[in-house]
Every structure is written in C-alpha cells, then in structure tokens.
Amino acid sequence: MNPRAGTPEILIAGNPNSGKSTLFNALSGGSARVGNYPGVTVDRTTATVRLSARQVALVDVPGMYSLTANSPEEQLAVDALVASETRAVVCVVDATTLQRGLYLALQLRESGVPVVVALNMMDAAERMGLRIDTDHLSESFGAPVVPVVATKRQGLDALLNAVEGQLGLTSPVDAPSVSYPAALEADLSELVPLVEQWRPGASSQQTRAVALWSLLSLDEDSLRGVPDSLRIAVQELRSAAIAQGRNPDLEIIATRYAWIEEQVSRASSNPDPKPSVSERIDNVLTHPVFGLVVFAIVMFLIFEALFTWAEPAIGFIEGLTAALQGQVAGSLPDGVLQDLIVEGIIAGVGNVIVFAPQILLLFLFIGFLEDSGYLARVAFVIDRVMKGVGLHGKAFVPLLSGFACAIPAVMATRTIERRRDRLVTMLALPLMSCSARLPVYILVVGTVFAGATLWWFSAGAVALFAMYTLSVVVTLTAAAVIRRTILPGPAPTFMLEMPPYRWPSAQILWINAWRRLRIFLVDAGTIILAMTVLLWALLSFPKSDEIAVRYSQERATVAQMDLHPDEAARLVAALNAREASEQLEQSVAGRFGHALEPVLRPIGFDWQIGVGIIGAFAAREVFISTLGVVFGIGETDQENKPLRQALREARHSDGTPVMTPLSGVSLMVFFLLACQCMSTIAVVRRESGAWKWPAFLFAYMTVLAYTGSFLVYQGGRLFGFE
Amino acid sequence: MAGNSKRFANEKEIHYQLVMKPSLADLALGQAAEIVSIDCDRSISRRLMEMGLIPGTEVRVVRVAPLGDPIELRVRDYALSVRRAEAARIAVVPARAA
C-alpha cells in the first residue's frame, strides 16, 4: 500500500488562517523542504519528523475551506488526500471558529481517512470564554481531538502521540453517520457504480465520499482525470434535481452543517462571552478616515523599506561583486577565460543575489501583514479601487511593490488565491516604473532637458512625473485588457475571511521569508545566471584580431613616448575604452544593433542606443554602462558628464542629432514600457510555472514599448517638435 | 429603507419580503438578519454555503469598507467580507428589534 514503507505521509490540512503553517513549522522545526506539485506552481512543503517508533513525512497542504474543487490547484489537495501514501490527516481547526473548521474535518472523516483534529488557538478561545468538550467531539467525529496552541508549541507531543495512535490502527474507525435527505441518497446510489469503475478497490466509505464529492464539485469545472461517464451522470442528476425544485449542493452542505451545529452545541458552551480585541482594533483600522490613514502609512513603510532600507545592502552586494571581479581579474591572465569568469559568471551571480535584500524585506513585511491579519484589511480597504480594473484587492501590495522592483513584486502575487487573478497581476505589474528605470530617466533628462523649464517647473521634473503617471495608467489598463482578452473568466469575487488580529511569530516570519528567497535564488537564479553569461557572449564575440593588434601597437607607441606616468595612464585608458567600443560594435550585439537601425529610426534611436537596449536586458540600469562602452568612455554612471556630452554630440548619418528632447522622451517611454529585464522573465517563469507566460509578457511589452515610442516620436514630429 | 423593516407590522412585513426582496446589501450597519436564499453563480453560492452561509443562518453586517464596498459580515463566529454585488444576491429576512 505504501511504496515508501517506513515513512508514511501525514498531511496537515486546514482552513486558511487556522494556524496550519505555524503548526507545520512548529512540528518540523523549520527543517522543511519546498518543492513543487507537478504541473502547477503550488508549493509542496514537506518535512521529516521522528515519532517515538517511526519516522513520518509531514506535508503542508494548501489552505482550504472544503474538499470541493473547481480548479486543478484545488484538486491538488483532494488528490493528496486520496493518495495511497497518505496514512493520516491532521486537520487544523481554529477553536474560535469551530463550525467552519469542523466542516472540513467532517468531509475528511467522510472520506474514511484517519484524522486527528488539532484544535488550535485554544488560548484565544479560552480568553473569549469558550469551553469545548473535546471528548464529545472526538467521539462524534471518530477522531482524536487534541487542543494545541501552535504559536506557543503547546500540545504538540499529545498531537504527535495521537497521530502515532492513528497509524497503529488495524481497522478504520467508522465515519460519522450523517444522514442526507432520501432524494440525495438516491442520487448517490446512482453514482456509486460509476465511482467503483473509476476507483476500483476503494472501500465503500471512500466510494460514497467520492460520489458526494462528484455531485458537489463536477459541472463547469476544469478538473482533470474525471471519467466522462461520471460527469454526464452528475449533470443529468443535477438537472433532474433542479427540475424538481431541489438543490443538491444545498442539501449536502446544509445537512453537514446541521450535523456540525448539533455536535458543537453539545460540546461547547460560552457562559460568559468576552468581546474580542479584534473588533476594537478594526474600529480604527477600517475606519473611513483613520483606516485610510493607517493604510497609507503602512503602504508608505513598505515603499520606503524597498527603496531606502534595502539600499545599503544592495550597495554592499554590488561593491562585493565589483571587488571580487577586480580580485579575480587581477589574479587570472587576461583572456576569454578571465572575461567569462569576471563579466559572465561573477556578474551573473551578483545579478541574482542583488535582489536578496528587497525580496527578504518585502516578504518579511508581507509575512507580518498576512500573519497579523492586516493584509486582509488592506484588501478590504482598497478592493473598491482594484475591482474597477478587474483585479482582486490583494493585488494592491504586489502592484505597489512594482514601483521598487518587479522581482519581489511578482513573487508577492502568491498571496492572491486564484491562479487567474495571480497571472493577470503578474503580467501587468512589470509595467510599474521600477527603481532600475530611474537611472535611465535621469541620464536622458540630464542629457536633453538640462536647464530647460516648462512653465514654472523644470522640464526634467515634468518628464519624470509624466513617466510615473503613465506607468500607473498603463499598468491598470493592461490589467483590465488582459483580464478581458487573454485570461477571460468570471470577475474575481471577493470573499475574504477577516481573521482576528494576532501577533506574528518572528521565527516563522523569518523561516518563510528565507524560504521564498531560497526558491528565488535556486529557481530564478539559475535562469538569470545563464542569461547573464549569454548576454556577455553576445556583447563580446566575435573578437576582431585586427582591432586588438592595432590597439596593442598604439599602446606600445604610448609606452615608448617620454610622458609623465599619469599622462601615459590616461592615454592608455582612453585607448582601452576606444578599443572596447570598436570591439563591441562588431560583436554579435553590435551587429544586431546595426541591423535593428532601420527599425529604430522611426522611434528616434540609432544603432548605439540599440546596443544599449540589448545590454540593458541584463538589467535596465546596465543601459548606461553599455552606452559608456559604446561611446568609448569606459566606466560611467547616470551623472556622468562625458557620457551626457557624448550623447548630445552623437549624430545620425545625415548629421542630425540623435538625442533631442523628442527622442529623449521616446527613449524614456520605451524603457518604461519594454520588458528590458531578464530577471523579470526568470521570476515570471518560476511563479507561473510555464515559459509561455514570460514569452507573452516580453512580446506584449515590447510591442507596447515600440508603439508607444513610435507614437511619441512621430506624433511629436507632426506637431513640429525636434 | 430596508433598515426600518423591523418596525413594520406583520402584514406590511410580508408584503415587504415578497415585493422588496431585501438582500444582505440592503442591511444597515450593525443589523442582523437571517439568510433566506443565495442566488449567485453556482461556484460562488457553493463557496458561500461551505463557509457557513446557509438558509437559516444568522448574519450581521459589522463594517463597511471606507470606500463603501466591500462589506464585512459576522457569521458563525468569524468575519467574512463580500462585495455588494454578491451580497445583493443573498436574500435575507431582517431580524426584528431585540
């Protein structure tokens, strides 16, 4: 029965916000491994735990309110529960919302699987004055009920003992006897033979549970692997029932809840109810005025953290990368190998870990908001706005984070429950003007708008403001359009539990943030590293011997001249920069830039900008250092005067200047709209689970960028701008 | 308005239930009501029911978002927020004044 005898799988299931993951982490001590369910991007977190007599594998199942499934993602939980490896399920129930939690526990018991109910948050229940007779619940559900406080690690030993007890059972405990209406029982008996064909060998209890599940889940679903005969039978039974004025869904669910209400009323009492603290906190946090103020402050803090707090760490990583590059360059002989290691591999690793500070910070923040219960209030407060463009209220934090960096922002979309809503958000948010675009804006503004004014503002400030405004408008429009075209479907509904406020555990916040970072480093990191090496190769090869020989002769000439050492060094540096520029021009990327020129001219760019755009795929700010090489200036940044000068002096073949205010705006619009960021591609690949989504993202943003720049440049010319 | 229905005499209240069909979206802040029926798309109705909103269940509107939508309900000892669009399809009988 169990292919991996000795390590039976114990599933940890429960409602969202029931403290399921906290319990999982408390039991596993943070030793968990995160994998992926095949085909979909739902994390499968497992950990090995030693009981007194054997080892078991704990599996953290995605949070759910019921076993009813509508999508392949929801089906995962169901699949896991009926898998032969599953030997027992720990159903985590929040003791303060007993009925809803027990609904899931009842469904699990009906399917015949051994269940241990972990009655979590008993401390909160006691504070509310609630008394629960666990023995009665245990008897009626046919499952041990163990009170626990996961955050304080109370009751864990008793829980594991109960699990071990279930593993030692020789014969299954009978499922609770819930009696459905006679008409529904008749429907079930028609489905039973079909289920028996689908799942031969299942016990009669399991068969009955699958028949119930089918009646409740099938029809208008996108579930996999369900036989057509069963589907058709369910459809017919449902239509027949509806024609008679019956509602099978209601019959099943209402019968279950009636049974639960009866058990709960016998097993629990609250002689002296106390008002909850959450109510009072919410009176402030979702207040029409204070609510919005608190909301703005919290969002500003996230923003500030991503922009400012992360900066020293990012600078440190960049400095370390540069130092390591210098060290290695000094200790390896010049040549392709040195370049590959310095410009390809070390730069690539640097490109990956440079995101670590923002990812850690954002996930610590989101973890805090989520575990404290405020994230649900964020969605509650802002949903009205997000609804207008077909997004879920929970899309707000990822979108806002997009102003800092799309990488952590895309990863943050996993707080959105439905995959479709998650994809729409993920595909629109790279249009938010991230911080890596700013150096490009500053370079362009400094080059073409230096000292210019528009009315009583500086022209540069107006241009920057316009870029950020445009970015918000385009992002929301793109979300609305993608929702209506590529990913049509029912508008996202907003059914969100507002969990009670709780103080999060620092340890769990850290474990989760670290887990997210590790997934990024491994999964997206390898793609980013590979693309960095590829880009390096495109910008470096083929190398021209002719150019190399000519410049080494010139350097030899300089060495023979009788010059002051500083003067000689300056000349050699200038020669090196010019050599790099010439080599770049005839590399694959340089040739590609030239080949692109006919396409780039209508939007106001030339081949040099084209090469810069290719280089910028590594990261947008690399545009500047690539231009530095193209123009033979060497090391440079956005404040660099020689680069601005070189850009101003650059001429098209017909003698007209390349960088004008109009082509500058066109360039900014291009950078705003284009997906010039391989790390975004890599992280969307990781989070969407398929290459087709990053491919679509890149394609639509490139088309959008070209169209935008074309309209700006050609439109501007029509109105007589230069 | 729906919020005043609890003061209506029985006859008028029956008329009100049949003709006005009050929904969760019509309830005043803080008002309790009993669910009569849920008429959303099947998957949404099912989800609402599985979260404990069943004909006969008592609900109360405890909060309205600062921008007017969604609304927060108290049902079966927990808080659930739903948009007005969904709430409008959940028919209720407002509770009489205690």
Side-chain angles (χ1 to χ4, degrees):
Chain A
M1 183 172 144
N2 181 4
R4 276 170 292 163
T7 54
E9 288 197 343
I10 311 293
L11 270 54
I12 313 278
N15 291 169
N17 309 307
S18 62
K20 179 178 66 67
S21 294
T22 308
L23 181 67
F24 177 84
N25 283 323
L27 290 173
S28 66
S31 68
R33 295 175 306 279
V34 184
N36 240 332
Y37 285 99
V40 286
T41 49
V42 175
D43 286 340
R44 186 179 201 275
T45 314
T46 55
T48 309
V49 169
R50 187 176 296 279
L51 301 182
S52 60
R54 61 181 116 195
Q55 281 199 335
V56 293
L58 294 184
V59 183
D60 192 4
V61 179
M64 54 187 167
Y65 291 108
S66 82
L67 294 185
T68 312
N70 222 234
S71 67
E73 283 91 0
E74 291 172 324
Q75 197 181 9
L76 281 178
V78 182
D79 284 349
L81 290 164
V82 296
S84 58
E85 292 88 355
T86 300
R87 298 288 299 281
V89 179
V90 173
C91 182
V92 186
V93 173
D94 178 348
T96 65
T97 64
L98 208 48
Q99 295 187 0
R100 201 196 57 210
L102 289 175
Y103 180 84
L104 178 63
L106 174 59
Q107 268 189 304
L108 287 167
R109 280 302 292 134
E110 282 186 316
S111 73
V113 67
V115 171
V116 176
V117 175
L119 209 51
N120 195 16
M121 308 193 187
M122 278 303 284
D123 51 345
E126 280 162 16
R127 274 199 303 275
M128 289 164 62
L130 202 62
R131 289 186 198 154
I132 301 170
D133 176 358
T134 52
D135 290 343
H136 177 86
L137 285 183
S138 187
E139 200 179 311
S140 53
F141 277 82
V145 177
V146 184
V148 297
V149 183
T151 48
K152 295 178 185 157
R153 310 182 62 88
Q154 288 170 6
L156 301 189
D157 289 341
L159 182 65
L160 289 177
N161 283 339
V163 169
E164 196 150 31
Q166 292 293 302
L167 292 179
L169 288 181
T170 43
S171 62
V173 178
D174 280 342
S177 53
V178 179
S179 44
Y180 294 99
L184 192 88
E185 290 287 353
D187 290 345
L188 288 179
S189 58
E190 285 199 38
L191 293 178
V192 162
L194 297 167
V195 174
E196 278 169 347
Q197 281 172 26
W198 181 26
R199 309 222 155 165
S203 70
S204 62
Q205 199 174 323
Q206 284 169 328
T207 304
R208 180 181 161 84
V210 173
L212 270 169
W213 177 83
S214 307
L215 203 51
L216 202 47
S217 297
L218 297 184
D219 200 11
E220 298 167 13
D221 59 87
S222 53
L223 304 175
R224 296 163 305 186
V226 180
D228 286 343
S229 57
L230 184 58
R231 252 177 211 294
I232 294 166
V234 166
Q235 256 168 28
E236 284 170 357
L237 286 173
R238 280 184 52 80
S239 339
I242 289 163
Q244 293 166 22
R246 290 173 47 214
N247 179 350
D249 293 354
L250 176 62
E251 289 172 1
I252 297 173
I253 299 168
T255 307
R256 284 174 178 160
Y257 263 107
W259 188 86
I260 290 167
E261 277 170 19
E262 194 187 325
Q263 306 311 320
V264 168
S265 70
R266 283 190 202 164
S268 81
S269 60
N270 196 345
D272 179 22
K274 311 254 188 331
S276 81
V277 189
S278 284
E279 289 272 326
R280 272 175 285 161
I281 300 177
D282 255 344
N283 287 340
V284 176
L285 293 189
T286 55
H287 184 274
V289 179
F290 301 123
L292 289 175
V293 171
V294 172
F295 174 81
I297 292 173
V298 171
M299 293 304 117
F300 178 79
L301 268 180
I302 295 183
F303 211 62
E304 182 70 10
L306 291 182
F307 265 103
T308 319
W309 304 356
E311 203 46 50
I314 292 173
F316 177 75
I317 291 168
E318 284 171 348
L320 210 63
T321 310
L324 190 64
Q325 284 175 316
Q327 196 72 35
V328 171
S331 56
L332 282 178
D334 285 358
V336 174
L337 183 66
Q338 189 214 71
D339 280 357
L340 170 65
I341 293 175
V342 172
E343 303 296 331
I345 294 170
I346 299 178
V349 172
N351 280 346
V352 175
I353 56 174
V354 78
F355 292 112
Q358 287 181 325
I359 289 174
L360 274 183
L361 271 173
L362 183 61
F363 274 93
L364 285 174
F365 253 106
I366 288 184
F368 185 85
L369 296 184
E370 203 167 24
D371 292 1
S372 67
Y374 188 66
L375 196 64
R377 274 74 182 185
V378 167
F380 181 67
V381 167
I382 206 68
D383 181 68
R384 178 76 195 271
V385 178
M386 306 309 285
K387 177 178 75 166
V389 289
L391 288 173
H392 192 278
K394 279 193 173 175
F396 187 80
V397 170
L399 284 183
L400 181 80
S401 310
F403 269 131
C405 179
I407 312 311
V410 166
M411 293 172 70
T413 57
R414 60 175 53 236
T415 53
I416 304 169
E417 273 163 51
R418 291 203 321 183
R419 178 176 159 81
R420 192 187 299 274
D421 301 343
R422 207 158 58 223
L423 274 173
V424 173
T425 313
M426 190 183 302
L427 292 172
L429 77 80
L431 285 165
M432 295 296 274
S433 191
C434 68
S435 59
R437 282 152 163 125
L438 193 56
V440 179
Y441 299 157
I442 291 174
L443 173 74
V444 173
V445 163
T447 303
V448 298
F449 291 126
T453 55
L454 196 64
W455 300 298
W456 52 90
F457 299 109
S458 87
V462 174
L464 275 182
F465 182 76
M467 285 305 126
Y468 279 91
T469 312
L470 182 64
S471 116
V472 173
V473 172
V474 174
T475 306
L476 296 183
T477 312
V481 171
I482 292 171
R483 152 77 59 207
R484 279 166 185 73
T485 54
I486 310 296
L487 290 163
T493 51
F494 188 85
M495 260 181 267
L496 194 60
E497 186 191 347
M498 303 274 118
Y501 289 104
R502 297 186 177 111
W503 193 254
S505 133
Q507 189 201 359
I508 285 170
L509 292 184
W510 177 251
I511 289 175
N512 283 331
W514 176 247
R515 204 175 271 165
R516 291 267 78 81
L517 176 63
R518 206 170 50 189
I519 291 172
F520 169 80
L521 292 179
V522 174
D523 293 1
T526 42
I527 304 175
I528 296 173
L529 177 61
M531 289 208 234
T532 308
V533 173
L534 179 68
L535 264 179
W536 163 79
L538 290 178
L539 290 159
S540 311
F541 295 102
K543 286 209 184 294
S544 155
D545 288 339
E546 187 272 320
I547 296 172
V549 168
R550 179 150 48 80
Y551 276 94
S552 63
Q553 280 168 355
E554 288 201 32
R555 272 190 294 267
T557 319
V558 170
Q560 280 162 11
M561 287 193 286
D562 187 20
L563 290 170
H564 187 276
D566 290 353
E567 178 67 7
R570 204 182 54 77
L571 277 176
V572 168
L575 283 174
N576 287 346
R578 287 226 307 273
E579 180 184 2
S581 167
E582 281 192 42
Q583 289 285 17
L584 174 57
E585 183 173 358
Q586 55 83 55
S587 69
V588 175
R591 290 171 200 202
F592 193 53
H594 270 292
L596 278 181
E597 198 165 75
V599 187
L600 296 178
R601 280 305 289 272
I603 57 173
F605 308 160
D606 68 346
W607 74 269
Q608 291 167 311
I609 306 272
V611 175
I613 290 173
I614 295 168
F617 194 59
R620 290 181 176 91
E621 67 270 23
V622 174
F623 178 70
I624 293 154
S625 55
T626 311
L627 278 191
V629 178
V630 171
F631 285 108
I633 292 164
E635 290 287 307
T636 185
D637 61 34
Q638 71 265 24
E639 301 292 344
N640 188 294
K641 295 280 183 319
L643 179 58
R644 290 181 181 183
Q645 197 59 34
L647 276 171
R648 282 189 207 115
E649 286 165 4
R651 291 290 178 270
H652 286 301
S653 47
D654 57 8
T656 54
V658 173
M659 291 304 289
T660 62
L662 187 59
S663 68
V665 173
S666 168
L667 186 58
M668 288 200 288
V669 168
F670 187 89
F671 263 89
L672 170 64
L673 301 177
C675 188
Q676 285 298 108
C677 179
M678 61 180 186
S679 307
T680 303
I681 303 276
V683 80
V684 170
R685 159 72 184 88
R686 168 63 180 79
E687 296 296 320
S688 68
W691 275 109
K692 69 174 176 183
W693 293 115
F696 166 73
L697 176 72
F698 181 73
Y700 103 78
M701 284 182 69
T702 305
V703 169
L704 196 62
Y706 190 84
T707 314
S709 291
F710 186 87
L711 290 177
V712 165
Y713 191 69
Q714 296 300 337
R717 279 162 59 107
L718 276 181
F719 285 100
F721 292 102
E722 276 300 321
Chain B
M1 286 304 290
N4 299 327
S5 66
K6 57 194 165 201
R7 300 201 195 96
F8 288 1
N10 197 26
E11 231 170 85
K12 280 186 180 173
E13 196 168 292
I14 290 168
H15 168 84
Y16 175 80
Q17 285 299 331
L18 289 175
V19 179
M20 305 291 289
K21 292 190 173 151
S23 76
L24 260 183
D26 301 321
L27 292 184
L29 191 61
Q31 196 178 4
E34 194 174 284
I35 293 176
V36 173
S37 67
I38 301 179
D39 183 32
C40 305
D41 290 344
R42 184 186 173 208
S43 65
I44 297 174
S45 300
R46 188 176 55 200
R47 178 83 183 268
L48 285 167
M49 288 193 289
E50 293 204 292
M51 291 184 82
L53 283 78
I54 294 168
T57 308
E58 192 187 286
V59 289
R60 192 160 50 90
V61 177
V62 292
R63 222 172 295 281
V64 175
L67 301 174
D69 195 19
I71 58 174
E72 183 179 324
L73 311 173
R74 188 85 196 164
V75 56
R76 290 189 197 265
D77 299 325
Y78 76 99
L80 176 73
S81 61
V82 295
R83 285 185 180 153
R84 286 188 180 278
E86 269 90 52
R89 311 189 69 160
I90 302 175
V92 295
V93 186
R96 300 181 129 273

